[in-house]
């Protein structure tokens, strides 16, 4: 149905997060290109690199490169951190 399901542990950690993004977090998102924002949105909606590539008319390897660049710009260390960030951003508007 297009819903993202996360464990209680992830939701609990989200509840401990601040309710509003800080200015620095907003500025980090401003650094992303339109394509990178599209990739971030699709990751947050649970799509994998192949699905995103098909939707955007790119190759999966290009999506992987964009994801790495997004991680770098958002100062995230892992792919899992990127996906968690994307899901929180999509579901709540808060990261």
């Amino acid at each position: 149905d297009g819903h993202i399901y996360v464990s209680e542990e992830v939701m609990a950690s989200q509840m401990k997060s601040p309710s509003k993004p800080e200015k620095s977090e907003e500025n980090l998102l401003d650094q992303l290109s339109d394509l990178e924002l599209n990739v971030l949105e699709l990751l947050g909606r649970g799509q994998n690199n192949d699905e995103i590539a098909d939707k955007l008319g790119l190759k999966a390897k290009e999506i992987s490169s964009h994801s790495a660049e997004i991680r770098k710009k958002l100062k995230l260390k892992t792919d899992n951190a990127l996906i968690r960030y994307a899901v929180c951003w999509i579901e709540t508007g808060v990261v």
Side-chain angles (χ1 to χ4, degrees):
D1 292 335
H3 296 281
I4 303 287
Y5 295 94
V6 294
S7 69
E8 290 180 20
E9 181 180 313
V10 171
M11 288 305 295
S13 69
Q14 174 61 30
M15 299 304 282
K16 294 176 187 174
S17 297
S19 61
K20 286 181 147 182
E22 296 179 17
K23 273 287 192 206
S24 62
E25 290 174 345
E26 290 174 3
N27 292 340
L28 292 176
L29 282 172
D30 288 342
Q31 295 177 21
L32 300 182
S33 69
D34 289 344
L35 177 59
E36 290 167 340
L37 285 169
N38 284 339
V39 171
L40 184 65
E41 178 184 355
L42 294 171
L43 285 171
R45 296 193 185 284
Q47 296 188 5
N48 65 33
N49 287 352
D50 290 327
E51 293 167 331
I52 295 170
D54 287 343
K55 184 166 251 179
L56 299 179
L58 300 170
K59 296 180 181 177
K61 189 171 183 174
E62 291 174 287
I63 300 303
S64 180
S65 295
H66 287 298
S67 294
E69 188 62 25
I70 294 167
R71 272 196 359 254
K72 182 179 174 183
K73 288 181 179 181
L74 296 179
K75 300 178 182 177
L76 300 170
K77 294 181 181 180
T78 66
D79 287 335
N80 287 340
L82 175 62
I83 291 170
R84 180 179 183 277
Y85 185 102
V87 169
C88 290
W89 181 59
I90 290 299
E91 293 291 319
T92 65
V94 177
V95 289

